[in-house]
Amino acid sequence: MNHWTTGTGAEAASVSTSTGGRGGGLVRYVVAAALARTADGGAVVAVILLVTSSGGSGTLAGALGACITAPHLLGPFVARPLDVARDGRKVIASACLLYAVVLTTGVLTYARVPTVVTALLLAVAGTCGPLLTGGISSRLPAIVGPETRTQRRAQGWDVATYGIGGTVGPSLVAALSGWASPSAAALALAGGAGVAAGGVLLLPYAPAAHGGDRAAILKPGPTLALMARTGQLRRTVYLTMIVALGVAALPITAVHMTKVLGIDTSTAAVLTAAYGLGNLVGSAVVMVFPLTGDPDRLMRRLALGVVVGLGMVAASPVFSLSVAAYGLTGLLNALFFAATLAARTEYAPVGVRAQVFIWVAALKITSGSAGTALAGSLTGLDVRLPLLLGAAGISAAVLAATLEKRTAGSLAGSR
C-alpha cells in the first residue's frame, strides 16, 4: 500500500511547488529539529542542577526533573492536532514557543513561588516535548518527497538531530552551568526552543492529509488499536520498545564497569561519550549510504546488531575494548533507529502519521525509563546482568517478529 498517494492532483502540485529547493527545506529542518531537541534533551539536566545548586534536596531535584520527562507519555494525546490542523507547522511552532515561555518562567520564578507552581510550569513544558521530537519528525516526509532513497538519507539527518539533542544538550548545560549558572543554561535552552519555532514556520508547507474532513482522523485510542492490528506497525512498536529497554542499561553499566575494569569512576564519561559519538557516526553513515530494503526486515537485522554490541560491552575485558564496544553499539542503535523512522514513514497511514510517530516515541521513552530503573536494580547483583538480559530480550523480540512475519506470509499465500 502506497501511503504517499493522498489528496488531489492540485494538492500534489502545491506540495511540489512549496517544497521547491528541498535541500533548503532539509537544512532548515535540521537546524530547527536540532535546536528543539537540544532544548528537550538538556532541560532535565538544567533543572536538576538548578535545584541542587540552590540547596534543594536530591528528592526535589528528581521530582522536578520528572515533571519534564514524565509528560512525554501524554504525547499521543497532544499529537492529534498535528493530523487535524490545516498547517501542522503552526502547531509545532506554538509548542516550541510555549516550551520556551514556560521553561523561562519556571526557571526565573524558582524558589520565589510555591514548588507546586514550578512543577506545573515544568509539566507544561514536558507536555510540549513530544511535539519537539516525534512531532517534528512527522514533517520530514513532506519536505524531502516520496523517493525512498531521499527519505532514507534524510532520516540519517533526523537521527543526527536526536543524537545532538541527547549529547550536546546535557553537555551544553554542564558547560554553561560551570561558566555562568544553571539558570543561564536553562534560559539558553529556552532561547533555542524559541528560535526553533521560527525555523519550523520556515519549513515548506504541506497540505493537510484529511482534505478538510477532520472527523475522519482517528483519535489516540483507535490509532493505537490500528497500530496493534497492523503487523508492520506492531513489530515496529515492540522492537523499538525492547531495543530501548536494552540500551538504556548502558549509562548505568558504564559507571559500574569502571570498577570491574579497575579504572577511575570518572572515566565512565568516556564510555557514554563513545556511545554518543558512535550514534552520530551511525547517522552519518545513513546520510552517505541510505538504508535499502524493507524496513520490517531492516529493523530485525539491525536489532540483532545491537545484540552483538551489547554482548561485546558485556564481554570486554579491558577499557579500550569497552570504549570500542560502546561506540559500536551507539552506531548500530543509530542504524536501527533510522530503520524505525523508515518504518513509521512507510507503514503509517498518512492521515495518522503524526500520531503514529509520537505513539512510538512515547512508548520508546517509557520503555527506556523502565530499562534504566531495571538496570539500576540489577547491577548490584552483577554488572553485566542488565546487558545480558537486554540482549536476550532483543533476541526474543526479533525471533517473535520473524515468526510473526513468516506466519502472516504463509496465511497470505494460502488464500
Side-chain angles (χ1 to χ4, degrees), residues 162-181:
Y162 279 98
I164 290 170
T167 56
V168 173
S171 300
L172 178 65
V173 167
L176 287 177
S177 295
W179 176 68
S181 68

Side-chain angles (χ1 to χ4, degrees), residues 62-85:
L64 291 180
C67 287
I68 284 189
T69 56
H72 279 71
L73 303 181
L74 300 175
F77 302 96
V78 299
R80 193 167 182 266
L82 267 183
D83 285 326
V84 302

Side-chain angles (χ1 to χ4, degrees), residues 257 261 263 267-278 312-313 316-330:
M257 284 291 287
L261 298 172
I263 54 180
T267 54
V270 176
L271 295 176
T272 55
Y275 176 81
L277 180 60
M312 290 180 62
V313 172
S316 298
V318 295
F319 181 65
S320 58
L321 289 179
S322 293
V323 172
Y326 264 80
L328 177 63
T329 306

Side-chain angles (χ1 to χ4, degrees), residues 115-297:
T115 302
V116 67
V117 175
T118 302
L120 288 173
L121 289 169
L122 296 178
V124 172
T127 304
C128 296
L131 294 176
L132 276 62
T133 52
I136 295 181
S137 287
S138 70
R139 308 299 300 172
L140 190 57
I143 294 172
V144 300
E147 297 83 3
T148 299
R149 183 175 177 82
T150 305
Q151 290 175 32
R152 301 282 176 88
R153 178 173 284 116
Q155 285 155 3
W157 284 103
D158 205 25
V159 174
T161 65
Y162 279 98
I164 290 170
T167 56
V168 173
S171 300
L172 178 65
V173 167
L176 287 177
S177 295
W179 176 68
S181 68
S183 296
L187 294 177
L189 296 178
V195 174
V200 168
L201 290 175
L202 292 175
L203 296 178
Y205 169 74
H210 54 67
D213 185 12
R214 299 184 181 185
I217 301 298
L218 297 179
K219 293 182 179 180
T223 300
L224 183 60
L226 170 70
M227 294 165 61
R229 65 175 179 264
T230 305
Q232 293 162 321
L233 290 177
R234 181 173 60 248
R235 291 188 286 275
T236 300
V237 170
Y238 68 72
L239 284 171
T240 299
M241 292 179 68
I242 297 299
V243 170
L245 185 82
V247 300
L250 290 170
I252 301 293
T253 305
V255 176
H256 295 277
M257 284 291 287
T258 57
K259 301 174 184 177
V260 174
L261 298 172
I263 54 180
D264 191 84
T265 305
S266 61
T267 54
V270 176
L271 295 176
T272 55
Y275 176 81
L277 180 60
N279 198 281
L280 292 176
V281 171
S283 62
V285 168
V286 179
M287 295 174 207
V288 180
F289 305 104
L291 297 175
T292 57
D294 178 27
D296 201 357
R297 184 181 298 108

Side-chain angles (χ1 to χ4, degrees), residues 47-61 64 110-111 182:
V47 168
I48 290 173
L49 290 176
L50 173 66
V51 175
T52 54
S53 66
S54 303
S57 68
T59 300
L60 177 60
L64 291 180
Y110 174 67

